[in-house]
């Protein structure tokens, strides 16, 4: 503006000590640094205002966060078989890092101050993101952490004495796993794979059941059964003396 009535003749500006340029329209500044913008005006009578300035900073890059450490004992199929410690870190090259927040299993967002300990069994979802000093917030990262600490459960309801020559083991045992689920179940009868047909031995018969879950944790139970169940009477042979 010009209060003398002569009117503004021209406006000029320069950025970071560069050349003075005539101001004709809004312009874009993209320097990601601390910027010094100087500006001045001249009226129609040739009077020139003292230069003025403004200092400002630009940050056009989002911060970046990542998982620095995921500590725990790995099992099979991307499961952990021990509690897990999660450590996050982040960087920002321009305005500096303001902080990192995380969200565990869709609960409220929390400020990250130290490692996150996960000890409950199941599949956990961890969301995390960083914010820089300029207020820029990066896109949310998502990490899945699966934990199974318990082997399968084996229940056996086998008879101690075998009385049925057509005995099969179907329905006489159960194998369950509530977390990573049962992956394989193996039956050994007297040390040999049980194929669904009877192969009992006279006297003691040992059935061993081994179960492995999706995390690789294994459980085994054995039971001894006697066959046949009835007492065996052998004839007594008496030798006549000569």
């Amino acid at each position: 503006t010009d209060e003398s009535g002569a009117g503004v003749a021209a406006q000029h500006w320069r950025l970071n000590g560069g050349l003075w340029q005539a101001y004709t329209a809004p312009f874009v500044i993209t320097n990601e640094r601390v910027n010094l913008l100087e500006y001045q005006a001249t009226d129609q009578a040739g009077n020139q205002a003292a230069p003025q300035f403004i200092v400002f900073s630009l940050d056009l890059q989002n911060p970046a966060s990542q998982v620095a450490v995921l500590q725990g004992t790995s099992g099979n199929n991307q499961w952990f078989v021990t509690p897990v410690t999660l450590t996050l870190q982040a960087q920002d090259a321009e305005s500096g890092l303001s902080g990192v927040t995380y969200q565990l299993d869709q609960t409220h967002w929390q400020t990250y101050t130290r490692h996150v300990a996960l000890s409950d069994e199941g599949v956990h979802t961890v969301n995390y993101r960083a914010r820089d000093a300029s207020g820029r917030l990066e896109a949310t990262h998502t990490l899945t952490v699966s934990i199974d600490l318990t082997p399968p459960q084996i229940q056996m309801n086998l008879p101690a004495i075998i009385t049925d020559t057509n005995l099969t083991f179907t329905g006489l045992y159960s194998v369950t796993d509530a977390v990573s689920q049962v992956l394989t179940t193996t039956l050994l009868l007297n040390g040999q794979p049980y194929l669904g047909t009877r192969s009992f031995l006279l006297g003691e018969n040992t059935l061993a059941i081994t179960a492995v879950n999706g995390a690789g944790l294994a459980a085994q139970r054995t039971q001894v059964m006697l066959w046949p169940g009835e007492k065996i009477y052998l004839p007594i042979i008496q030798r006549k003396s000569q």
Side-chain angles (χ1 to χ4, degrees), residues 156-162 167 169 188-190 200-209 221-227:
M156 301 176 70
N157 300 302
L158 299 171
I161 297 176
I162 302 171
L167 175 68
F169 301 126
L188 294 179
L189 180 59
N190 300 319
F200 297 132
L201 301 176
L202 184 64
E204 291 187 350
N205 291 264
T206 301
L207 179 69
I209 301 178
R221 288 195 62 185
T222 61
Q223 183 168 325
V224 176
M225 301 168 291
L226 295 178
W227 183 81

Side-chain angles (χ1 to χ4, degrees), residues 211-235:
V212 181
N213 64 16
L217 297 173
Q220 185 181 72
R221 288 195 62 185
T222 61
Q223 183 168 325
V224 176
M225 301 168 291
L226 295 178
W227 183 81
E230 297 83 4
K231 293 181 179 179
I232 300 176
Y233 296 94
L234 297 177

Side-chain angles (χ1 to χ4, degrees), residues 41-101:
T42 304
D43 65 14
Q44 298 289 350
N47 296 310
Q48 190 175 68
Q52 300 187 59
F53 68 90
I54 184 174
V55 176
F56 61 93
S57 302
L58 288 183
D59 185 353
L60 305 180
Q61 302 297 322
N62 287 335
S65 62
Q66 57 274 327
V67 176
V69 177
L70 188 61
Q71 185 175 8
T73 302
S74 297
N76 295 340
N77 304 308
Q78 298 183 334
W79 284 87
F80 287 93
V81 294
T82 62
V84 172
T85 298
L86 177 67
T87 303
L88 303 175
Q89 68 179 21
Q91 307 84 30
D92 186 81
E94 298 300 331
S95 61
L97 188 67
S98 174
V100 178
T101 56

Side-chain angles (χ1 to χ4, degrees), residues 79 148 152 176-184 212-215:
W79 284 87
D148 191 351
T176 58
D177 189 276
V179 184
S180 61
Q181 306 303 314
V182 178
L183 189 63
T184 61
V212 181
N213 64 16

Side-chain angles (χ1 to χ4, degrees), residues 1-12 40-50:
T1 60
D2 184 67
E3 296 180 355
S4 66
V8 176
Q11 301 176 72
H12 291 82
Q40 63 181 19
T42 304
D43 65 14
Q44 298 289 350
N47 296 310
Q48 190 175 68

